[in-house]
Amino acid sequence: MAIKLSPAATERLEAWRNGGFLPAWAQTALDELTAAEAWAELEDRFFRDLSFGTGGMRGRIIGRQSAPAELGLGGVKAPAHPAIGANTLNDVTVTRATMGLFRSIQSAGTKGAPRLIIAHDVRHFSRYFAELAARVWTIQGGEAWLFTGPRSTPQLSFSVRAVEADAGIVLTASHNPPHDNGYKVYAAHGGQVVPPLADQIVAAVLAIKLVELGPILKEVAASHGESWKTVSKEVEQQYAEAAAEVVLDGLMIAAQKPRVVYSALHGTGGVVIPGLLRRLGAEVVEVAPQMKFDANFPTIPSPNPEDPRALAMVLEQADTTRAAVGLATDPDDDRLGTLFREADGSYRALNGNELGALLADYRYLRAKELGWLPKEGSPRAVVLKSFVTTPLLDAIARSHGGRCINTLTGFKWMGDKLRRYDEELLAALAKAGDHRTPTEIASLPPRERAALGLRHSAWLVLAAEESYGCLAGDTVRDKDGNAAAAMTVELAAWLAAQGLTATNALDILYARHGYHKESLRTLTFEGAAGVAQIQRALASLHSTPPTNLSGRAVEKVHDFLNGEHHDEEGLLVPREDFLLYDLAGGWRCAIRGSGTEPKLKLYFYAKEPLAKPADRPSLEEKFKFKFEAWMDSVVAEAKARAG
């Protein structure tokens, strides 16, 4: 075995097999994989400990080669147990993470027992892991809340503050394939954890010795009944109301009554979205087969609304019903895919950059018309976006007298910005003798809360990422598919009232700010060998920076792993293995390793002048081949560096 596996994998595997903490089925599974000489599978499972990335801890629950003891009679469609391993999500890794989280929160000091709220999506073992985490938490002396069934990630983000929890967990792998699951951790302010808290949690998890797991796992196995509290209907209703509050002009939706086709893609979005949109005045047509919870996502090749194939049934039903817009959310309901009806009756799928641009421009415009913002705008009316999201958002914010702030990839960084704005607001109010609590401020109407932010800190016009995530308002600290659906339906109603299509509106923006084109390419590298390839490619780019990318001169390199970088507010950007290249002609390229998937991601940006909206089709046609060929060449260069 030591010859077939790396030293690191051998050491971990032996520690797990001989540690005395594994359930019987897990011990049997490792024996079966060893007997089958499944060395590649064992290497992938034990070459490292599962770690936190941009979306928390995420890994396989069904191995590429599963042990019979893991599958049981259900097979890969209904496995009996999760894949056992240090680098997979299973009873051991969930227990260890929860113990580490508890100790980290406890060491920081809390009033009374540490409080935890847990949500989960529809994936294999999501409910099981949620109940396991709740039991582990309460065994250690904490209080835990759990929803009655699958709930979305943004609802968890909201509810952390609603129940005044010290932390939150959501069991989800977002849009990943069915063989994955994940464990996202949220701080008391409702956003995903970032350093230094994230570092403290990781350190606490790593400090837990394997021998400590045995007693906890045995106590969990012996426990009966519910050791947790159930999240109340009142808290659930508060979230539904908060999702509706992001709409600036509800009368617009009620007047236009847009027809909307919606699919939950077998995930959690169906819990809130249909009722939310109907209350706002939309006519909602559900894609019935995809409203059923199903961990295998049987009607789609991928539960990712970024994949056009995921919207096939939405498109079919939208075309049949002549809907104004089609919507689909991923399994944990934080990403939104959209289809907008065009003048000729066809449908256009907007990517995350395009939808973000239209929403930002609309929300600035309407906020001014409705009196939320002065006509000249305000630098405290902010758009938040990641560095890898379209620069068109920067231009839109500036044109409206607002401000655009760029962050590292991941909504956790935007959530942390919102935490800072909250603290600034409370400090400014206290200085003026106003000692209202966060709860009292949250109870104010949205327009009053916006006015306070504009006066003392910031008001979030929109937060957006190219990966189909949007957020507005001040009650959630993560991308929110429910609120994004409401904003998108409002946008569709406004476009109809103006006699515009989404394409018309984008062309108007391009004529004002230049034609922007973005694209994402990914290189996938599986397993332990794949991790090494990704690291090799990034190390090569750091040590030997390119002077040009496929013939386009590199004018500036932003190396976020080396040197200091500050955002638009003057705050230091944390170090990350991420490179951004400014290229000749205003083009850009960004390269980073995914924090949640075994992928090297390459982002491409081009900008060309556009005289008038009507010129966009001809410019796009001339430009397309050059852009595609350039991207192909850059991807080939990156692949060569990976080896």
Side-chain angles (χ1 to χ4, degrees), residues 101-157:
L101 176 62
F102 181 89
R103 292 183 185 181
S104 178
I105 296 298
Q106 190 177 47
S107 67
T110 59
K111 295 179 181 178
R115 292 180 163 191
L116 177 72
I117 182 169
I118 307 168
H120 64 86
D121 69 5
V122 305
R123 289 176 178 271
H124 295 298
F125 306 112
S126 282
R127 181 70 188 188
Y128 173 76
F129 287 149
E131 293 187 1
L132 172 61
R135 293 185 194 281
V136 170
W137 193 268
T138 55
I139 284 170
Q140 295 177 102
E143 295 180 2
W145 278 263
L146 190 58
F147 290 90
T148 57
R151 294 294 186 274
S152 68
T153 289
Q155 184 163 352
L156 183 279
S157 173

Side-chain angles (χ1 to χ4, degrees), residues 593-638:
S594 172
T596 55
E597 300 170 282
K599 294 178 179 180
L600 189 68
K601 293 192 170 185
L602 295 91
Y603 304 80
F604 300 94
Y605 313 84
K607 179 182 176 182
E608 298 288 328
L610 183 67
K612 56 183 185 295
D615 293 343
R616 191 268 311 158
S618 60
L619 172 65
E620 191 171 55
E621 188 63 31
K622 294 176 184 176
F623 167 83
K624 182 179 179 180
F625 177 77
K626 178 173 69 172
F627 191 53
E628 292 288 336
W630 176 66
M631 289 192 294
D632 289 342
S633 182
V634 175
V635 169
E637 290 178 10

Side-chain angles (χ1 to χ4, degrees), residues 245-422:
E245 284 183 347
V246 302
V247 170
L248 295 175
D249 188 359
L251 295 176
M252 177 74 67
I253 300 174
Q256 292 293 322
K257 296 181 176 59
R259 182 174 296 138
V260 182
V261 169
Y262 170 67
S263 169
L265 300 183
H266 301 289
T268 61
V271 175
V272 169
I273 288 178
L276 167 65
L277 298 184
R278 289 182 178 117
R279 286 195 302 275
L280 289 170
E283 178 188 341
V284 180
V285 180
E286 299 176 27
V287 181
Q290 296 181 333
M291 301 302 289
K292 301 173 184 176
F293 295 154
D294 195 318
N296 295 304
F297 313 113
T299 65
I300 42 178
S302 166
N304 185 357
E306 296 177 75
D307 185 339
R309 299 173 300 171
L311 275 69
M313 293 182 73
V314 177
L315 175 60
E316 180 181 0
Q317 199 149 336
D319 191 50
T320 300
T321 61
R322 299 176 61 83
V325 64
L327 307 174
T329 49
D330 66 341
D332 71 323
D333 187 20
D334 62 355
R335 297 169 190 252
L336 178 74
T338 62
L339 299 169
F340 280 76
R341 186 174 175 83
E342 294 288 281
D344 62 359
S346 65
Y347 287 86
R348 172 173 179 162
L350 296 187
N351 62 39
N353 286 315
E354 293 168 334
L355 180 63
L358 289 180
L359 286 175
D361 189 64
Y362 168 77
R363 288 178 64 79
Y364 271 122
L365 178 67
R366 293 294 288 145
K368 291 178 180 180
E369 292 175 348
L370 295 169
W372 290 50
L373 277 176
K375 298 299 182 183
E376 68 276 12
S378 167
R380 286 179 169 164
V382 301
V383 164
L384 298 176
K385 78 175 190 69
S386 62
F387 286 106
V388 298
T389 301
T390 177
L392 180 56
L393 278 168
D394 299 81
I396 289 170
R398 286 193 302 269
S399 72
H400 283 287
R403 187 172 42 153
C404 184
I405 315 299
N406 285 268
T407 72
L408 294 174
T409 303
F411 253 75
K412 64 182 182 180
W413 301 110
M414 301 185 205
D416 197 54
K417 284 287 186 185
L418 296 176
R419 175 191 62 81
R420 289 177 180 272
Y421 297 152
D422 273 353

Side-chain angles (χ1 to χ4, degrees), residues 557-568:
V557 179
H558 305 270
D559 185 335
F560 286 84
L561 189 62
N562 302 299
E564 290 190 350
H565 300 269
H566 295 81
D567 66 19
E568 290 79 1

